[in-house]
């Protein structure tokens, strides 16, 4: 084995081992105020606020319950700050 190949292996091997470490098990990012406001506006009346937020933390529920937003909401809130993990549907005002 040549000296260059040995040096290459000794330099690349530790980098490869670092890339194999599992990701952090930290909880997902908290919701910002804009997304929280839209979530609470879409909360069904028979569900409590804390329970609704807990239900919507699960990724599967984010796709099952798309959040409805109106043009008035977009005029009031900054749409760029909405969390992209959720699905949004633009609807006419009720």
């Amino acid at each position: 084995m040549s000296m260059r190949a040995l040096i290459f292996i000794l330099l690349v091997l530790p980098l490869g081992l670092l890339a194999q470490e599992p990701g952090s098990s930290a909880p997902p990012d908290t919701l910002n105020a804009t997304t929280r406001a839209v979530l609470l506006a879409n909360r069904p009346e028979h569900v409590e606020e804390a329970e609704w937020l807990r239900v919507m933390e699960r990724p599967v529920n984010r796709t099952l319950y798309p959040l409805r937003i109106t043009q008035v909401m977009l005029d009031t809130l900054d749409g760029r700050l909405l969390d992209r993990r959720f699905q949004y549907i633009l609807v006419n005002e009720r």
Side-chain angles (χ1 to χ4, degrees), residues 14-90:
L15 293 176
L17 293 175
L18 288 175
Q20 299 300 319
E21 289 185 14
S24 66
S25 61
D29 299 332
T30 59
L31 298 173
N32 59 20
T34 306
T35 305
R36 185 178 170 90
V38 173
L39 266 173
L40 294 178
N42 281 274
R43 178 179 62 90
E45 294 178 9
H46 65 279
V47 178
E48 294 181 14
E49 179 179 323
E51 184 179 344
W52 176 249
L53 293 175
R54 186 175 44 83
V55 165
M56 293 305 284
E57 284 177 357
R58 296 184 57 205
V60 69
N61 291 334
R62 292 178 190 156
T63 58
L64 289 176
Y65 303 108
L67 301 176
R68 294 181 163 115
I69 55 174
T70 62
Q71 188 61 45
V72 175
M73 284 181 181
L74 289 177
D75 291 342
T76 307
L77 303 171
D78 189 2
R80 297 174 294 173
L81 297 177
L82 291 173
D83 194 343
R84 295 185 186 262
R85 296 178 292 178
F86 294 92
Q87 290 185 359
Y88 300 96
I89 298 174
L90 185 61

Side-chain angles (χ1 to χ4, degrees), residues 1-13:
M1 191 185 250
S2 72
M3 187 60 121
R4 286 184 182 170
L6 182 63
I7 291 174
F8 178 76
I9 290 172
L10 291 175
L11 291 176
V12 172
L13 186 61

